[in-house]
Amino acid sequence: MRFNEEQLAVVRRAYARQILARTGVAGNQSLEDAFATTPRERFVGEPPWQLSQGRRRYAALASDDPTVLYQDVLIALAPERGINNGSPSLHALWLNALNPREGERVVHIGAGTGYYSAILARLVGPRGHVVAVEFAPALAERAAENLADMKHVTVVQGDGAEWPREPADCIYVNFAVVRPAEAWLDQLAQDGRLIFPLGLPAGWGGKRSRRALQGASFLVERRAGRFTASWLGEPSFVSAEGLLAGSEGERAALAAAFESDGATSVRSLGRGEDTPVERCWLRGEGWCLSYDEAG
């Protein structure tokens, strides 16, 4: 027996509470409501749905009942490329840290088919605005269809390195990069928040440490023209395409940083070349992730 919409609403509410409780943010009512009122089945395509088992291995879910989607699992969007509708608990943790507020301007980079863009749109409300940027044309087309009824969401097919193009209160990046894009830092508004993961492409560089295999993620906040930075954990995301795929030199520098095991001590993101190299966990051309507080 399939659940009707009223019963599904109960399932979604239970899912939202479990996800937030699992991540330790159970007191965030607006985030719970956003998860509880966003129908995940709209964004993962038609069944049979493919459940990620890691390392680009998938297994078909035996049921076509949408209730099976309300778990803390990854569902394939483009399994041949390792692209999934990501972990609800990871996103709950990150969205709690990002703290999108009513009326704010958000740019979601790596939007996939739009599930987390829809959750962001519910968090900022109709007075806010979400720009959902997706590199893959087929996924961007699906996102535009899925989000068509949310008038305060704009879907863009393009390279996430080139967005945003005007000031944003929140920038939320959902693919692994070797460096933050200049546009993210240039357009982050005063008191704005940026979350992005660093990571290396699968199979690059031979044997790597566990942390290098997973990645590192950071919350960056702009305060009085400076950028604070704090470590958020070791997520595994599909790697960037386009401008943020990185050069061989940038990948080698990131691999060396992972081996140094200092990501948890990062306190700021500096621009320019002023920070001594020994105070940087990772240094690129014109920027660094530093152990020093933002000065």
Side-chain angles (χ1 to χ4, degrees):
M1 182 182 68
R2 295 177 65 88
F3 281 19
N4 60 33
E5 189 58 34
E6 183 177 348
Q7 292 168 320
L8 269 175
V10 175
V11 171
R12 292 188 191 112
R13 178 63 64 177
Y15 153 82
R17 290 183 179 175
Q18 291 168 0
I19 293 300
L20 268 64
R22 180 171 181 174
T23 58
V25 294
N28 190 332
Q29 190 61 50
S30 62
L31 186 57
E32 178 187 313
D33 291 344
F35 270 93
T37 56
T38 303
R40 196 179 191 191
E41 62 272 17
R42 178 192 295 187
F43 298 90
V44 295
E46 297 296 323
W49 298 301
Q50 300 288 315
L51 177 68
S52 172
Q53 298 182 317
R55 297 182 181 271
R56 298 201 179 189
R57 294 181 293 111
Y58 295 89
L61 285 169
S63 174
D64 63 356
D65 189 327
T67 58
V68 302
L69 298 173
Y70 292 99
Q71 311 174 59
D72 191 20
V73 294
L74 283 69
I75 304 296
L77 299 178
E80 71 284 358
R81 298 169 59 199
I83 299 175
N84 306 310
N85 178 253
S87 163
S89 62
L90 170 65
H91 285 277
L93 181 68
W94 278 16
L95 289 169
N96 183 69
L98 189 69
N99 191 25
R101 301 166 190 140
E102 185 79 21
E104 288 194 321
R105 300 154 295 174
V106 178
V107 179
H108 182 199
I109 299 176
T113 59
Y115 177 61
Y116 295 106
S117 304
I119 289 174
L120 284 162
R122 285 180 164 84
L123 289 168
V124 300
R127 294 191 302 109
H129 187 241
V130 175
V131 176
V133 183
E134 173 53 47
F135 185 83
L139 294 181
E141 183 177 354
R142 288 171 62 185
E145 293 173 357
N146 294 334
L147 297 165
D149 63 338
M150 304 189 85
K151 302 306 180 185
H152 59 302
V153 179
T154 301
V155 178
V156 174
Q157 190 277 311
D159 194 319
E162 300 175 344
W163 295 84
R165 296 182 177 177
E166 57 187 21
D169 300 297
C170 298
I171 302 172
Y172 192 54
V173 182
N174 288 169
F175 54 80
V177 299
V178 297
R179 58 177 173 83
E182 291 185 10
W184 305 347
L185 303 176
D186 289 342
Q187 298 291 1
L188 191 63
Q190 180 62 29
D191 298 321
R193 289 85 67 202
L194 158 68
I195 287 179
F196 69 95
L198 292 169
L200 293 164
W204 185 88
K207 185 177 179 180
R208 291 180 279 159
S209 68
R210 180 181 62 85
R211 180 160 288 140
L213 288 168
Q214 289 293 108
S217 58
F218 297 91
L219 167 67
V220 173
E221 300 178 75
R222 186 169 201 155
R223 297 177 180 169
R226 306 283 185 173
F227 297 95
T228 67
S230 52
W231 185 73
L232 284 181
E234 302 175 342
S236 180
F237 274 89
V238 67
S239 291
E241 301 178 74
L243 297 175
L244 293 175
S247 66
E248 285 298 304
E250 288 173 322
R251 294 177 184 182
L254 180 56
F258 283 133
E259 295 299 330
S260 75
D261 202 36
T264 59
S265 299
V266 166
R267 296 293 178 267
S268 64
L269 189 154
R271 304 188 78 179
E273 306 291 344
D274 295 338
T275 306
V277 65
E278 65 271 14
R279 300 304 303 159
C280 298
W281 174 71
L282 174 62
R283 186 167 200 162
E285 185 176 349
W287 70 279
C288 77
L289 286 168
S290 170
Y291 303 124
D292 297 330
E293 300 289 342

